[in-house]
Short mmCIF file of all heavy atoms in Angstrom, two decimals:
data_model
loop_
_atom_site.label_atom_id
_atom_site.label_comp_id
_atom_site.label_asym_id
_atom_site.label_seq_id
_atom_site.Cartn_x
_atom_site.Cartn_y
_atom_site.Cartn_z
N CYS N 1405 8.82 7.03 14.00
CA CYS N 1405 7.87 8.11 14.23
C CYS N 1405 6.79 7.60 15.18
O CYS N 1405 6.10 6.62 14.87
CB CYS N 1405 7.24 8.56 12.92
SG CYS N 1405 8.43 9.22 11.73
N ILE N 1406 6.66 8.25 16.34
CA ILE N 1406 5.75 7.75 17.37
C ILE N 1406 4.67 8.78 17.64
O ILE N 1406 4.90 9.99 17.61
CB ILE N 1406 6.50 7.38 18.66
CG1 ILE N 1406 7.23 8.58 19.27
CG2 ILE N 1406 7.51 6.26 18.37
CD1 ILE N 1406 7.95 8.27 20.58
N PHE N 1407 3.46 8.28 17.91
CA PHE N 1407 2.30 9.14 18.14
C PHE N 1407 1.70 8.82 19.49
O PHE N 1407 1.45 7.65 19.81
CB PHE N 1407 1.26 8.93 17.04
CG PHE N 1407 0.05 9.82 17.16
CD1 PHE N 1407 0.07 11.12 16.68
CD2 PHE N 1407 -1.12 9.36 17.76
CE1 PHE N 1407 -1.04 11.94 16.78
CE2 PHE N 1407 -2.24 10.18 17.88
CZ PHE N 1407 -2.21 11.48 17.39
N ASP N 1408 1.45 9.85 20.29
CA ASP N 1408 0.86 9.69 21.61
C ASP N 1408 -0.53 10.29 21.62
O ASP N 1408 -0.69 11.50 21.48
CB ASP N 1408 1.74 10.38 22.67
CG ASP N 1408 1.12 10.35 24.05
OD1 ASP N 1408 0.43 9.37 24.37
OD2 ASP N 1408 1.32 11.33 24.81
N GLY N 1409 -1.54 9.45 21.76
CA GLY N 1409 -2.91 9.96 21.81
C GLY N 1409 -3.87 9.05 21.08
O GLY N 1409 -3.54 7.94 20.67
N SER N 1410 -5.09 9.53 20.93
CA SER N 1410 -6.13 8.78 20.24
C SER N 1410 -5.98 8.93 18.73
O SER N 1410 -5.80 10.05 18.24
CB SER N 1410 -7.51 9.27 20.67
OG SER N 1410 -8.51 8.77 19.82
N PRO N 1411 -6.10 7.83 18.00
CA PRO N 1411 -5.98 7.94 16.54
C PRO N 1411 -7.18 8.60 15.89
O PRO N 1411 -7.13 8.94 14.69
CB PRO N 1411 -5.86 6.48 16.09
CG PRO N 1411 -6.59 5.72 17.15
CD PRO N 1411 -6.32 6.44 18.43
N SER N 1412 -8.24 8.82 16.66
CA SER N 1412 -9.45 9.41 16.08
C SER N 1412 -9.96 10.61 16.86
O SER N 1412 -11.09 11.05 16.66
CB SER N 1412 -10.56 8.35 16.01
OG SER N 1412 -10.86 7.84 17.31
N GLY N 1413 -9.14 11.15 17.76
CA GLY N 1413 -9.57 12.32 18.51
C GLY N 1413 -10.63 11.96 19.54
O GLY N 1413 -10.57 10.91 20.17
N THR N 1414 -11.62 12.82 19.71
CA THR N 1414 -12.63 12.61 20.74
C THR N 1414 -13.66 11.57 20.31
O THR N 1414 -13.91 11.38 19.11
CB THR N 1414 -13.36 13.93 21.05
OG1 THR N 1414 -14.11 14.34 19.89
CG2 THR N 1414 -12.37 15.03 21.41
N LYS N 1415 -14.27 10.93 21.31
CA LYS N 1415 -15.31 9.95 21.01
C LYS N 1415 -16.57 10.63 20.49
O LYS N 1415 -17.29 10.08 19.67
CB LYS N 1415 -15.62 9.13 22.25
CG LYS N 1415 -14.49 8.18 22.66
CD LYS N 1415 -14.91 7.30 23.81
CE LYS N 1415 -13.80 6.31 24.15
NZ LYS N 1415 -14.17 5.42 25.29
N ALA N 1416 -16.84 11.83 20.99
CA ALA N 1416 -18.06 12.53 20.58
C ALA N 1416 -17.99 12.98 19.12
O ALA N 1416 -19.01 13.02 18.43
CB ALA N 1416 -18.29 13.73 21.49
N ASP N 1417 -16.80 13.30 18.66
CA ASP N 1417 -16.63 13.80 17.29
C ASP N 1417 -15.38 13.17 16.67
O ASP N 1417 -14.36 13.84 16.46
CB ASP N 1417 -16.52 15.32 17.30
CG ASP N 1417 -16.50 15.91 15.90
OD1 ASP N 1417 -16.97 15.23 14.96
OD2 ASP N 1417 -15.99 17.04 15.74
N PRO N 1418 -15.43 11.86 16.37
CA PRO N 1418 -14.23 11.17 15.89
C PRO N 1418 -13.76 11.68 14.53
O PRO N 1418 -14.57 12.01 13.67
CB PRO N 1418 -14.67 9.71 15.80
CG PRO N 1418 -16.16 9.75 15.70
CD PRO N 1418 -16.59 10.96 16.47
N ASP N 1419 -12.45 11.74 14.39
CA ASP N 1419 -11.83 12.19 13.14
C ASP N 1419 -10.70 11.21 12.82
O ASP N 1419 -9.61 11.29 13.39
CB ASP N 1419 -11.30 13.61 13.31
CG ASP N 1419 -10.56 14.10 12.06
OD1 ASP N 1419 -10.55 13.37 11.05
OD2 ASP N 1419 -9.98 15.20 12.12
N TRP N 1420 -10.95 10.30 11.90
CA TRP N 1420 -9.98 9.23 11.59
C TRP N 1420 -8.86 9.69 10.67
O TRP N 1420 -8.02 8.89 10.27
CB TRP N 1420 -10.70 8.02 11.01
CG TRP N 1420 -11.51 7.32 12.06
CD1 TRP N 1420 -12.84 7.46 12.31
CD2 TRP N 1420 -11.02 6.41 13.03
NE1 TRP N 1420 -13.21 6.70 13.38
CE2 TRP N 1420 -12.12 6.03 13.84
CE3 TRP N 1420 -9.76 5.87 13.32
CZ2 TRP N 1420 -11.99 5.13 14.91
CZ3 TRP N 1420 -9.62 4.98 14.36
CH2 TRP N 1420 -10.73 4.62 15.15
N SER N 1421 -8.82 10.97 10.37
CA SER N 1421 -7.72 11.49 9.55
C SER N 1421 -6.52 11.91 10.40
O SER N 1421 -5.46 12.23 9.87
CB SER N 1421 -8.19 12.68 8.72
OG SER N 1421 -8.44 13.82 9.54
N ARG N 1422 -6.67 11.94 11.73
CA ARG N 1422 -5.63 12.49 12.60
C ARG N 1422 -4.29 11.77 12.45
O ARG N 1422 -3.23 12.39 12.39
CB ARG N 1422 -6.09 12.44 14.06
CG ARG N 1422 -7.10 13.52 14.42
CD ARG N 1422 -7.62 13.34 15.83
NE ARG N 1422 -8.45 14.45 16.23
CZ ARG N 1422 -8.04 15.48 16.96
NH1 ARG N 1422 -6.77 15.53 17.36
NH2 ARG N 1422 -8.86 16.45 17.30
N LEU N 1423 -4.33 10.45 12.44
CA LEU N 1423 -3.09 9.69 12.35
C LEU N 1423 -2.45 9.86 10.97
O LEU N 1423 -1.22 9.88 10.85
CB LEU N 1423 -3.36 8.21 12.65
CG LEU N 1423 -2.20 7.41 13.22
CD1 LEU N 1423 -1.64 8.05 14.48
CD2 LEU N 1423 -2.65 5.97 13.53
N TRP N 1424 -3.28 9.95 9.96
CA TRP N 1424 -2.75 10.18 8.61
C TRP N 1424 -2.13 11.58 8.51
O TRP N 1424 -1.10 11.77 7.84
CB TRP N 1424 -3.85 10.02 7.57
CG TRP N 1424 -4.42 8.63 7.51
CD1 TRP N 1424 -5.65 8.23 7.95
CD2 TRP N 1424 -3.77 7.47 6.99
NE1 TRP N 1424 -5.80 6.89 7.74
CE2 TRP N 1424 -4.67 6.39 7.15
CE3 TRP N 1424 -2.53 7.22 6.41
CZ2 TRP N 1424 -4.38 5.09 6.74
CZ3 TRP N 1424 -2.22 5.93 6.00
CH2 TRP N 1424 -3.13 4.89 6.17
N ASP N 1425 -2.73 12.55 9.19
CA ASP N 1425 -2.15 13.89 9.22
C ASP N 1425 -0.78 13.86 9.90
O ASP N 1425 0.16 14.51 9.43
CB ASP N 1425 -3.10 14.84 9.96
CG ASP N 1425 -2.52 16.25 10.09
OD1 ASP N 1425 -2.39 16.93 9.06
OD2 ASP N 1425 -2.19 16.64 11.22
N PHE N 1426 -0.70 13.12 11.01
CA PHE N 1426 0.60 12.95 11.67
C PHE N 1426 1.62 12.34 10.72
O PHE N 1426 2.78 12.78 10.65
CB PHE N 1426 0.42 12.06 12.91
CG PHE N 1426 1.67 11.35 13.36
CD1 PHE N 1426 2.71 12.05 13.95
CD2 PHE N 1426 1.81 9.98 13.18
CE1 PHE N 1426 3.86 11.39 14.37
CE2 PHE N 1426 2.95 9.32 13.59
CZ PHE N 1426 3.99 10.03 14.18
N ALA N 1427 1.20 11.31 9.97
CA ALA N 1427 2.12 10.65 9.03
C ALA N 1427 2.61 11.63 7.97
O ALA N 1427 3.80 11.65 7.63
CB ALA N 1427 1.43 9.46 8.38
N ALA N 1428 1.69 12.44 7.45
CA ALA N 1428 2.08 13.41 6.42
C ALA N 1428 3.03 14.46 6.98
O ALA N 1428 4.04 14.80 6.35
CB ALA N 1428 0.82 14.07 5.86
N ARG N 1429 2.73 14.97 8.17
CA ARG N 1429 3.56 16.01 8.77
C ARG N 1429 4.92 15.49 9.21
O ARG N 1429 5.89 16.24 9.27
CB ARG N 1429 2.82 16.63 9.96
CG ARG N 1429 1.58 17.42 9.56
CD ARG N 1429 0.75 17.83 10.76
NE ARG N 1429 1.49 18.74 11.64
CZ ARG N 1429 1.01 19.20 12.79
NH1 ARG N 1429 -0.20 18.82 13.20
NH2 ARG N 1429 1.73 20.03 13.52
N SER N 1430 5.00 14.20 9.50
CA SER N 1430 6.25 13.62 10.00
C SER N 1430 7.07 12.95 8.91
O SER N 1430 8.16 12.44 9.19
CB SER N 1430 5.94 12.60 11.10
OG SER N 1430 5.21 13.19 12.15
N GLY N 1431 6.57 12.91 7.69
CA GLY N 1431 7.31 12.30 6.59
C GLY N 1431 7.37 10.79 6.67
O GLY N 1431 8.34 10.17 6.20
N VAL N 1432 6.33 10.17 7.25
CA VAL N 1432 6.30 8.71 7.39
C VAL N 1432 6.33 8.05 6.01
O VAL N 1432 5.59 8.44 5.10
CB VAL N 1432 5.05 8.27 8.18
CG1 VAL N 1432 4.84 6.77 8.10
CG2 VAL N 1432 5.16 8.73 9.64
N THR N 1433 7.17 7.04 5.87
CA THR N 1433 7.22 6.26 4.62
C THR N 1433 6.69 4.84 4.82
O THR N 1433 6.40 4.14 3.85
CB THR N 1433 8.66 6.17 4.09
OG1 THR N 1433 9.50 5.56 5.08
CG2 THR N 1433 9.21 7.56 3.76
N TRP N 1434 6.61 4.41 6.07
CA TRP N 1434 6.15 3.04 6.42
C TRP N 1434 5.12 3.20 7.53
O TRP N 1434 5.45 3.59 8.64
CB TRP N 1434 7.33 2.22 6.89
CG TRP N 1434 7.30 0.74 6.66
CD1 TRP N 1434 8.17 0.01 5.90
CD2 TRP N 1434 6.41 -0.22 7.24
NE1 TRP N 1434 7.86 -1.33 5.95
CE2 TRP N 1434 6.78 -1.50 6.77
CE3 TRP N 1434 5.31 -0.14 8.10
CZ2 TRP N 1434 6.10 -2.67 7.13
CZ3 TRP N 1434 4.63 -1.30 8.45
CH2 TRP N 1434 5.03 -2.54 7.97
N PHE N 1435 3.84 2.89 7.23
CA PHE N 1435 2.74 3.19 8.14
C PHE N 1435 2.05 1.90 8.57
O PHE N 1435 1.49 1.18 7.75
CB PHE N 1435 1.73 4.10 7.44
CG PHE N 1435 0.57 4.55 8.29
CD1 PHE N 1435 0.57 5.80 8.88
CD2 PHE N 1435 -0.54 3.72 8.50
CE1 PHE N 1435 -0.51 6.22 9.66
CE2 PHE N 1435 -1.60 4.13 9.27
CZ PHE N 1435 -1.59 5.38 9.86
N GLY N 1436 2.09 1.60 9.87
CA GLY N 1436 1.45 0.39 10.39
C GLY N 1436 0.44 0.72 11.48
O GLY N 1436 0.58 1.70 12.21
N ALA N 1437 -0.55 -0.14 11.60
CA ALA N 1437 -1.58 0.02 12.63
C ALA N 1437 -2.34 -1.30 12.75
O ALA N 1437 -2.16 -2.22 11.96
CB ALA N 1437 -2.54 1.16 12.29
N GLY N 1438 -3.20 -1.37 13.75
CA GLY N 1438 -4.06 -2.54 13.89
C GLY N 1438 -5.07 -2.60 12.76
O GLY N 1438 -5.46 -1.57 12.19
N ALA N 1439 -5.53 -3.80 12.45
CA ALA N 1439 -6.52 -3.96 11.37
C ALA N 1439 -7.77 -3.14 11.63
O ALA N 1439 -8.38 -2.59 10.71
CB ALA N 1439 -6.87 -5.44 11.21
#
């Protein structure tokens, strides 16, 4: 499952749930990212 874009949306109004939303919508079972 691959994601293209910012993991937090815009810099002015960051939303750190975006990548988790992608994981939920895509059925991700194994989730990795930088520390």
Side-chain angles (χ1 to χ4, degrees):
C1405 298
I1406 61 178
F1407 182 83
D1408 175 33
S1410 167
S1412 59
T1414 66
K1415 290 185 177 180
D1417 186 22
D1419 176 5
W1420 289 97
S1421 70
R1422 284 174 173 262
L1423 207 56
W1424 297 107
D1425 177 68
F1426 156 72
R1429 293 171 63 183
S1430 303
V1432 168
T1433 59
W1434 209 117
F1435 183 100

